[in-house]
Amino acid sequence: MADAQPRSAILRLVAPVRGRIALACALQMIASIAGLVPFIAVAEIARALAVDDEPDRAMTIAWFAAAALAVRMASILGVGVLTHLTDGDLQLLLRRRIANRIAQAPLSWFSKINSGALKKTVQDDFTAFHDIVGHAFTMLVGAACVPIGALLYLAYVDLLLVPAALVPVVIGGGIMASQMKGQGGKMEAYEAAMASVNAAAVEYVNGIAVIKTFSGTGRAFSRFIEHGNAFFDYFWNWVKNVLTLSAFMELVLSPPASITIAAGFALLLSATGMIQPIDGFALVAIAPLLTAPFMSLAFAQHNFQQAAKAAERLSRMLDTPVLAKPIVPREPDGYAVKYDQVSATYDGTNDVLHNIDLLLEPGTTTALVGPSGSGKSTLARLLPRFLDPSAGTVSIGGVPVNEIVPERLYQLLGFVFQDVRLLRKTVRENIALGMADADEAAIEAAARLARIHDRIVSLPDGYDTMLGEGIVLSGGEMQRLTIARALLAEAPILVLDEALAFADA
């Protein structure tokens, strides 16, 4: 989290809830200060009894410590409830914003992004980001308040106690700093390796039918195993180099070690007459409070680094390019489709279409014929703006499609592609996707035209059958549903890209 870019990403994402985070940090500060009181009380009760012989004052201090414990418990409970409710609200808000952003992205964007990386961002990264809102801010506040309060008390007792108490902190902090140095690059490599494993898993699961058909299970699974082994090898080589330092740091910062070091200094200072013996007892009682926060930060370091990187990726997802909308929308004059000197590219460098001129008049049917890879699908996808041309214009009724509001453009166009996409909704809702207010008769008429009505009525709940819940449709049947969807919309322009590839004649 020391890197400026992840820090700015975190601040950007938590901006909607920063007030609640500040309140949680204030409660954590109260809890941390209240948590100091019982330790200080132990030293002060010993002083009241052993030095001042004031049992009544000792009892008062004990009651004050008990009250501080109650305050700490209430504050910690408030912090936990507030941060986790805030995290839930923020995740819901961010998920909606990201979903809305992706919904506006051009289709070409999805072809450029790795499926495993996309899954990791929209699912796994939200889980990792929980550490930021749920724990990181309040943990940092606690890690700062507890040592500062402990050092202020020791300085009040005797300034000589401060450097003695800081010895294990300096040693452990130095080890932690050496461990964190240069970890940014390693974390990026770790994230890349994890994304590679995710992509391999998605690829294996999605392609399992083809893999089994061609007896490629072993080879495909071995590739998945290779990615997993590569991730394990990288992670182990990374971790084993810091195991010795980590073990030594944990030893130095552990409560037994800090108490032992503090006791040694207390004996030395009191034996030389530099401090009072009871002040040495205060040093021993307070010393573990200085090292405990560093131990917590050391254990949480990896989680915080992952959460910071997750925040960076989520922030980039919020900056996903969206389909440009016209500043001054125009309404087409008729439905004639014209391609004027159109070129198109997917990678920004190599054109897959070059200077295409094409005029499609209303009431006509045009078939594009050519070998695979000749650009037929690309030409078709330029019309609904699933891809924008790199040069030239595509227009409807004399108006370039990028000057037509997307909602209006999709009212003018119906399209059915070879790659069928159905939603986890009822058959009726899938057909009426482009015309939600369509009545039963219109939906049934579209299904009959697409020759899928008889199959629908044979389903357990007919048109109310929920797709994706144990209902298996063939590729041709799914295509017929999408054709019915396009027919129901009654768009004046219909684009079919191998829409009958899986359907029987």
Side-chain angles (χ1 to χ4, degrees):
M1 285 168 52
D3 192 89
Q5 192 170 352
R7 241 195 338 260
S8 62
I10 291 169
L11 293 176
R12 173 190 177 185
L13 294 180
V14 303
V17 294
R18 60 176 176 262
R20 282 189 278 176
I21 291 176
L23 177 58
C25 289
L27 287 174
Q28 180 63 53
M29 187 180 299
I30 294 172
S32 300
I33 295 172
L36 280 170
V37 173
F39 291 88
I40 296 173
V42 170
E44 291 302 312
I45 287 173
R47 187 187 303 278
L49 294 177
V51 178
D52 300 332
D53 192 22
E54 296 181 356
D56 290 340
R57 185 163 73 89
M59 182 60 68
T60 300
I61 294 171
W63 279 112
F64 189 73
L69 278 177
V71 171
R72 174 176 171 78
M73 290 178 61
S75 299
I76 289 293
L77 179 62
V79 168
V81 171
L82 181 57
T83 54
H84 285 77
L85 287 177
T86 300
D87 176 60
D89 291 344
L90 181 61
Q91 287 206 24
L92 178 61
L93 174 64
L94 291 177
R95 286 180 190 275
R96 285 175 171 170
R97 286 175 58 188
I98 287 176
N100 181 60
R101 190 78 180 190
I102 292 176
Q104 299 180 64
L107 192 65
S108 56
W109 178 82
F110 293 93
S111 64
K112 296 175 184 176
I113 189 167
N114 178 287
S115 58
L118 181 60
K119 174 259 181 188
K120 179 175 175 57
T121 300
V122 299
Q123 181 173 321
D124 300 352
D125 283 346
F126 275 105
T127 302
F129 187 64
H130 163 78
D131 280 318
I132 295 293
V133 180
H135 305 283
F137 290 105
T138 52
M139 182 176 285
L140 289 174
V141 169
C145 288
V146 172
I148 290 173
L151 288 174
L152 288 175
Y153 171 71
L154 291 178
Y156 166 77
V157 174
D158 195 310
L159 280 174
L160 288 175
L161 300 179
V162 173
L166 287 174
V167 170
V169 174
V170 171
I171 297 173
I175 296 173
M176 183 185 296
S178 67
Q179 279 186 320
M180 294 180 67
K181 187 177 180 181
Q183 293 298 304
K186 290 183 173 64
M187 179 56 68
E188 289 178 2
Y190 168 87
E191 297 292 346
M194 180 62 77
S196 178
V197 171
N198 276 330
V202 171
E203 176 186 301
Y204 181 74
V205 172
N206 287 344
I208 191 65
V210 175
I211 292 168
K212 281 182 169 292
T213 300
F214 291 95
S215 302
T217 309
R219 293 190 300 274
F221 187 69
S222 66
R223 286 196 296 272
F224 171 63
I225 293 297
E226 285 172 11
H227 284 284
N229 287 339
F231 171 76
F232 174 81
D233 291 340
Y234 172 80
F235 186 72
W236 173 241
N237 288 331
W238 176 20
V239 169
K240 71 180 181 182
N241 292 327
V242 297
L243 281 178
T244 303
L245 280 177
S246 294
F248 186 59
M249 181 187 69
E250 289 184 31
L251 176 63
V252 171
L253 294 177
S254 66
S258 61
I259 290 173
T260 302
I261 294 171
F265 276 102
L267 289 173
L268 177 63
L269 293 173
S270 60
T272 56
M274 300 178 71
I275 64 171
Q276 297 296 319
I278 193 64
D279 295 340
F281 179 76
L283 174 62
V284 173
I286 297 299
L289 295 179
L290 296 170
T291 57
F294 283 90
M295 283 294 291
S296 299
L297 289 176
F299 283 123
Q301 173 189 348
H302 179 69
N303 289 342
F304 287 168
Q305 285 180 330
Q306 281 189 300
K309 290 296 182 182
E312 196 174 352
R313 286 188 295 272
L314 289 170
S315 186
R316 284 201 300 267
M317 189 67 71
L318 288 171
D319 294 328
T320 299
V322 298
L323 200 63
K325 293 185 177 182
I327 299 175
V328 181
R330 296 173 60 190
E331 181 66 24
D333 181 14
Y335 305 121
V337 174
K338 184 177 181 180
Y339 288 67
D340 184 14
Q341 293 292 295
V342 169
S343 297
T345 179
Y346 287 102
D347 59 11
T349 304
N350 302 305
D351 283 342
V352 293
L353 293 176
H354 311 271
N355 301 327
I356 301 296
D357 288 315
L358 181 63
L359 179 61
L360 309 176
E361 296 286 0
T364 65
T365 300
T366 301
L368 301 178
V369 181
S372 298
S374 60
K376 303 186 299 296
S377 293
T378 302
L379 196 67
R381 290 172 184 235
L382 288 169
L383 192 54
R385 291 195 69 193
F386 288 174
L387 176 70
D388 280 335
S390 56
T393 59
V394 179
S395 61
I396 298 175
V399 178
V401 291
N402 61 356
E403 296 182 22
I404 303 173
V405 175
E407 293 78 8
R408 175 57 179 153
L409 178 63
Y410 298 136
Q411 290 175 354
L412 300 172
L413 292 170
F415 40 86
V416 182
F417 293 138
Q418 180 180 357
D419 188 16
V420 177
R421 287 290 181 266
L422 296 177
L423 305 181
R424 193 180 182 85
K425 293 177 175 290
T426 65
V427 172
R428 183 193 321 282
E429 290 171 319
N430 267 279
I431 295 176
L433 190 62
M435 189 175 285
D437 58 349
D439 58 28
E440 184 74 26
I443 293 173
E444 183 177 324
R448 288 182 182 277
L449 280 173
R451 301 296 189 268
I452 192 63
H453 171 75
D454 292 341
R455 175 67 174 114
I456 294 173
V457 295
S458 71
L459 295 174
D461 296 312
Y463 282 85
D464 293 318
T465 300
M466 182 69 70
L467 297 180
E469 297 185 357
I471 301 301
V472 179
L473 297 178
S474 70
E477 289 168 342
M478 290 191 292
Q479 274 193 323
R480 290 177 188 275
L481 282 180
T482 60
I483 292 170
R485 176 193 298 165
L487 294 173
L488 178 64
E490 294 185 343
I493 303 168
L494 185 60
V495 181
L496 304 175
D497 183 10
E498 298 193 46
L500 299 175
F502 300 111
D504 297 331

